[in-house]
Amino acid sequence: GSRIVLARRSPTSFAWRAARSVHHAPRIALVDANASDKENAEFDPKKTEFDPKSPLDTTPKFDEIAAGAAVEGSAALQLGKEPGTCDPYDPKSAEFCMDDSEKETDLKRRLRLGVLFFLWYFLNTAYNIGNKLVLTAFPMPWTAATWELFFGFPYVFFLWSTGLRKTPKLSFNSIKLLAPSGILLAGTHVGGVISFGLGAISFTHVLKATEPVWSALISAVFFREFLPLPVYASLVPIIAGVGLASVKELSFSWMSFIAGTGSAVTSAAKAILSKKVLDGKPLGENLTPANMFAILSIIGFIAITPVALLLEPPKAAAAAWSAALANGYTNLELFGLMSVSGFLYYIYNEVAFLALAEVAPVTHAVTNTVKRVVIILASIIVFKTTITPLGAVGSAVTILGALMYGLAKNKYK
């Protein structure tokens, strides 16, 4: 309820005051420096004369003025609003009345984003745990990754065929433009799955957090785009943290390290390629974030299937399936694990696309960092992963470095 007084010198002897404000914003009174104290006194909307109190008065007199908003004929009452939600200095004016519809819309958006981010975290964590269970029972990462890319198709085709979601319409040229992004999406996925299968989930996510390092390197080497020094400085903790985490990682394997790092590299390349090639180009109709992920998943599945069949032919997959049955799993359990894992992979990515499409880069960086922390902690609890103090420090430093990079890049962009 504080008021700001601005003096105005004028050849006239009258006082002009602007006392309109938005709800609890500071009250502003513009007064004539040559006028008398009585003329410059605080204005009471219910009186035609001035009150001899100072414009800077913060006593209950202001409450009396604000109560004018509840008088008969006030804008608040006419609009069916709570008394006091319009300008207390000019209660018959609706200029500064709060717009309930806008307030409601903003509240709905916040609630919607809150639900989306909760689902993203929950589904992503569930997928990581489910995927690890699949690879423990059926250690065929290429086959599992290919199946997970495929499993979203029945879901999205059902939505398109029933009209519950508009079907995307693309030209062949648009598909060619999207093909590299789809292939890189598949590479990101299979790299993560391989790393999950050969090491701890927590270590894989530490490796995935190195994506900013590769993003900066790819931009500099291939596009000659360089970042400000503070942004490069934020990469140091990421590199140092991975080094610390790797030295004392109890489940360390070079194949897990290479696959996890490869997942980060392809993810960085996909983000840069999408920005360079796709931004601003009309690719087709109904390309919502959810439909875009569906298209990229289809392209990725088509690209990865021949490679999976070459590296893990049907004979090898059948032998691994038989071994799982010999270890006590049933056909139903194996199929259920792979189906749930595939469905969770597709749904969590779709939710992530929806959530991140509506937030600023800083929010994106922060929420992505929190997501990694949640997944790492959840995996350590569920699988009782042993982590050394040095490994924990290295993981924390890497995750913090990734956050610092996101914030620094947004500040110096």
Side-chain angles (χ1 to χ4, degrees), residues 82-97:
E82 187 74 19
T85 56
C86 297
D87 186 4
Y89 281 93
D90 192 359
K92 293 188 178 181
S93 169
E95 183 177 354
F96 291 106
C97 286

Side-chain angles (χ1 to χ4, degrees), residues 55-141:
L56 294 177
D57 177 49
T58 57
T59 64
K61 183 63 183 175
F62 175 74
D63 296 331
E64 181 184 336
I65 294 173
V71 299
E72 185 177 355
S74 72
L77 290 179
Q78 289 178 2
L79 295 173
K81 296 178 179 290
E82 187 74 19
T85 56
C86 297
D87 186 4
Y89 281 93
D90 192 359
K92 293 188 178 181
S93 169
E95 183 177 354
F96 291 106
C97 286
M98 297 177 69
D99 190 333
D100 289 339
S101 62
E102 289 184 5
K103 182 180 179 182
E104 184 178 355
T105 300
D106 185 61
L107 179 61
K108 284 182 178 179
R109 179 180 178 276
R110 290 176 182 273
L111 288 174
R112 179 171 176 273
L113 280 176
V115 171
L116 285 174
F117 278 112
F118 172 78
L119 287 175
W120 178 31
Y121 287 7
F122 176 79
L123 294 170
N124 199 340
T125 303
Y127 161 70
N128 279 263
I129 294 171
N131 182 254
K132 183 67 174 178
L133 292 174
V134 167
L135 295 170
T136 301
F138 181 69
M140 303 290 284

Side-chain angles (χ1 to χ4, degrees), residues 274-298:
S274 297
K275 184 177 179 181
K276 295 291 183 185
V277 176
L278 305 180
D279 266 10
K281 293 188 178 179
L283 296 171
E285 297 179 25
N286 304 327
L287 277 182
T288 60
N291 278 344
M292 177 63 81
F293 176 68
I295 296 297
L296 294 180
S297 295
I298 294 171

Side-chain angles (χ1 to χ4, degrees), residues 210-224:
T210 63
E211 182 180 331
V213 176
W214 306 111
S215 178
L217 185 62
I218 292 170
S219 295
V221 172
F222 293 98
F223 298 99
R224 311 302 297 170

